Amino acid sequence: MGNIRIAGLVVSVTLLSAVLTSCDDGSKAAAEQAAGQVSSAIASLDVSHAPILGTDVSAAQSQLKDIVSGLGDVKPKVSSGQASTNNGTTTVPLAYEWELSGQQWKYTTTAQVAQEGGRWGVRWSPDLVAPGLKAGEVLAVKSEAPARADILGAGDAPLVTMRPVKRVGIDKTFVGADRLDASARALASLVGIDPDGYAKQAAAAGPKAFVEAIVLRDTPDRKPTDEQLGAIPGAFALSDTLPLAPTREFGRAVLGTVGQATAEQIEKSDGELQAGDLTGAGGLEQKYDDQLRGKDGVTVLAVAQGSTASPAPTATGGASPSSAPSATPSQQAATRTLFSSAPQPGKPVRTTIDPRLQQLADDTLSSVGPASAIVAIRPSDGSVLAAASGPGSNGYNTAMLGQYAPGSIFKTVDSLALLRQGATPDLPVQCTPTLTVDGKTFQNATGYPADHLGAISLRDAYAHSCNTAFISQRDKVTQEQLAASASSLGLGVEAPLLGADGFLGSVPADAASATEHAASMIGQGKILMSPLAAAVMAASVQKGSVVSPRLVLNVGEDEAEPSASASPSPTNKAAGGSKPVTQAEAAALQDMMRAVVTSGHAGFLLSVPGAPVGAKTGTAEFGSDNPPKTHAWIIGTHGDLAVAVFVDEGGLGATVSGPLLTNFLTKAAQ
């Protein structure tokens, strides 16, 4: 829906304080100097010291202020040209160039220059500011915003698109002053907002104002109903549309939201946003706001002073709320169009998000209390199919931006590093109850099975997540080799096709102390990953080559569009040149991930129908509590699908994140 707004248009250039130039011979140079001084003065909206003729400079300044009043800080560029004389009249052209809501308005006015009392100056008149402008006229601009473009998902399915809403509020025209407070408080209580605050807002609004209380999706089960509103004097539900996702929580953190521009956003927009404009907040809506918003259509009018008016929305289900007064017929007749440009529609942002899988991920996390995330990637092409952050994330994009110790899922990287040193999944390793490194004692997770202690295979150590077995191999792989293996699986490297903000992991390549290196072997210490990075790692194993994630398909199609901004670890840049995982290495890792399901911690995944499931659980301790808090992780592969599940302060990966992955994979396969 187009957004119409009318406001006074600011006229400007750069002021140079000037003194009239003496020139007895009426030279061309003197005329051009005077015109240049006036053009600079108009630019700064201060002609009080300019070489003005024909009126007092204070009167000219007052008239200029009236012409441009109410139009903020929009200023044009103005340049003066060469003087010419015809029939005794000397003139200098003034060229204007405006930037109005992204549209350019160019025109030229003519300054009459003369010499009076030995000094050169410019005769003041309104048409010096805009072509044909007369005394008593001011400039006004009417902007028409195009409908905001959609964010599209896989197959160009609309994710965020214009959907019907109801703007619920009080129209003061239809409620007496003696009932206003009671009506405002009744409506506030009905829609669940602060009654005191809304009552004060209603009292402070103008006598004919519509005071909005809340905006609701227009659904069959909308509450409050029209009947409930009808019982409150002055309450109305106005029909409108807004760019919305299918549900309030659908991909909210990754997609972002759309609303009316705040004062802060308007101030930072350099004139691109005005009051009432829709703009993005967070996620893709904010990152691609310029592309989605398009450009306003602009009409510049010469109007009788005091004739501008603002349109109002239309009510449904009852009498119409009041609107601002319109211009009188005589005022309307005096209106002239000086410039007009059509609105330019925005361009949709195309993404790889699968609507069904995104909704499934959101639903799977809907009852999880702590911060949580599910990221699903298609290994064959790197498409991000779902990126959900649970309600405990409080709007933060945990799925793509979270930075957490990965715990035992990082043993996938350890295993690749060991394979590159000649190990195989059958390599015998020692799993002991504890292992001490430089005075620090490491132990296995609570509940580790006693029958898998002692001499076991690397595969078995991975399947049951024996911490001490992997730490015991620390001397076989350096920290730099760990970092190189991490980048071979897509961690800590650039993601040029992602098209969104994301954290791809951090694995320091610098030499660490023995204790820090031991901690790295079990995904702790300084190792950090996001759920996105974990899903990339699993996808790279499943594909048998490095997977570079992609979310926004427009990236690379238009140089003006934002580039990807996935964040690699600065310490991992050296490792970025390492060789990618090979098919043979990936086959060994796939074998080990399958063992997690068939004989290890994740036997619950055997119930998932279809292709064999591979997995790796992870529990990462953090903080100083005793016992320490833990992050719960699990990664899984299922055919052409790789998934990471994360729960902050979640306990064990197998018991907390495991059921969430089982639910997701089972329903995804249906």
Side-chain angles (χ1 to χ4, degrees), residues 7 119 143 149 206 254 297 343 404 409 412 416 467 562 568 584 596 600 624 652 670:
R119 294 178 179 271
S143 298
V254 66
Y404 303 96
I409 64 170
T412 308
L416 177 58
N467 289 338
V596 176
S624 57
L652 299 177
Q670 294 173 353

Side-chain angles (χ1 to χ4, degrees), residues 403-474:
Q403 300 186 24
Y404 303 96
S408 291
I409 64 170
F410 192 74
K411 289 170 184 170
T412 308
V413 173
D414 297 349
S415 298
L416 177 58
L418 289 168
L419 291 173
R420 290 179 169 178
Q421 300 307 308
T424 70
D426 296 318
L427 173 73
V429 293
Q430 286 293 322
C431 180
T432 56
T434 62
L435 183 65
T436 301
V437 179
D438 278 0
K440 179 175 177 58
T441 299
F442 294 89
Q443 61 187 13
N444 297 315
T446 302
Y448 185 86
D451 57 345
H452 287 276
L453 291 171
I456 61 175
S457 68
L458 182 64
R459 179 190 296 106
D460 202 16
Y462 184 89
H464 289 89
S465 207
C466 179
N467 289 338
T468 59
F470 277 89
I471 293 174
S472 73
Q473 302 298 301
R474 66 191 182 281

Side-chain angles (χ1 to χ4, degrees), residues 38-97:
V38 170
S39 68
S40 297
I42 294 174
S44 67
L45 304 183
D46 185 358
V47 296
S48 59
H49 299 286
I52 297 295
L53 303 178
T55 187
D56 184 76
V57 289
S58 61
Q61 174 62 25
S62 177
Q63 191 174 56
L64 176 61
K65 182 179 179 180
D66 289 341
I67 291 172
V68 302
S69 63
L71 292 197
D73 298 325
V74 182
K75 295 181 179 181
K77 298 176 181 178
V78 176
S79 59
S80 57
Q82 296 183 346
S84 61
T85 302
N86 187 23
N87 294 328
T89 301
T90 300
T91 60
V92 175
L94 302 182
Y96 288 73
E97 181 179 337

